[in-house]
Amino acid sequence: RGRPKPGMLGLSIWSPETAKARVEIQDLTILNQVEKLVRWKPVLNRGPYLAWYINRHSDAMSYLSPPWAEVTLNGMQVHPNEDFQILRNLARVYDFSIYPAITVSSEAGLDRIQPSRLVDEVQQERYDGLFLDLSPLERPTIGKVAQWVKQTADAMSPSGLRLLVRFPALLERTTTF
């Protein structure tokens, strides 16, 4: 009883005779679940605000994607740690998966990262997968970037880890003639 809230499902049974209403649910299918990834910029001591935000908007989320690293010309630069214990607790409470974000701002930096080593780090930290944000690349070499993403996906696959990728706008736009 009470006011409806996001994520609630209600069912009301009525019978003209008091205390005689019965129902048997044989099957239930809920459609149109849209998976959404939530990410943010690295800022220290964000835990309390993040907990509040996730509590308010948990019905519209599927994955938490804390900032983990940035790929620059010099390779992968790891951000100062978020409070991953808070994130793990929130993920457990709300049944979210954690896919740390790696933002690729330099295509040349990909040459310095071995996908197998990256997967080892994801497994070591017990994440559910990885989110690669390639959107900062303005004019990527499509073949090179695609090959690196495929190598990373192939390295993750045997472990059952998922790879989520946001491609550069150049690759996401439809080409028309």
Side-chain angles (χ1 to χ4, degrees), residues 60-73:
M61 301 177 189
S62 306
Y63 307 103
L64 296 179
S65 188
W68 187 27
E70 183 172 357
V71 176
T72 65
L73 187 59

Side-chain angles (χ1 to χ4, degrees), residues 5-84:
K5 295 182 182 174
M8 286 180 67
L9 176 66
L11 180 65
S12 180
I13 309 301
W14 179 84
S15 172
E17 297 180 44
T18 305
K20 295 288 183 179
R22 278 181 26 144
V23 68
E24 182 178 327
I25 298 174
Q26 297 283 333
D27 189 21
L28 176 67
T29 303
I30 299 175
L31 302 176
N32 296 331
Q33 172 71 23
V34 177
E35 294 184 342
K36 292 189 180 179
L37 179 123
V38 178
R39 64 181 298 219
W40 54 93
K41 295 183 184 210
V43 174
L44 295 176
N45 299 322
R46 188 183 288 262
Y49 172 75
L50 192 58
W52 173 85
Y53 182 84
I54 289 171
N55 182 51
R56 298 271 303 170
H57 303 282
S58 63
D59 60 309
M61 301 177 189
S62 306
Y63 307 103
L64 296 179
S65 188
W68 187 27
E70 183 172 357
V71 176
T72 65
L73 187 59
N74 297 322
M76 192 162 89
Q77 311 296 318
V78 177
H79 294 298
N81 284 344
E82 288 276 332
D83 189 344
F84 281 100

Side-chain angles (χ1 to χ4, degrees), residues 134-138 140 166-174:
L134 304 171
S135 65
L137 298 176
E138 292 182 16
R166 180 174 182 196
F167 288 101
L170 180 70
L171 297 177
E172 288 185 348
R173 284 193 294 255
T174 305

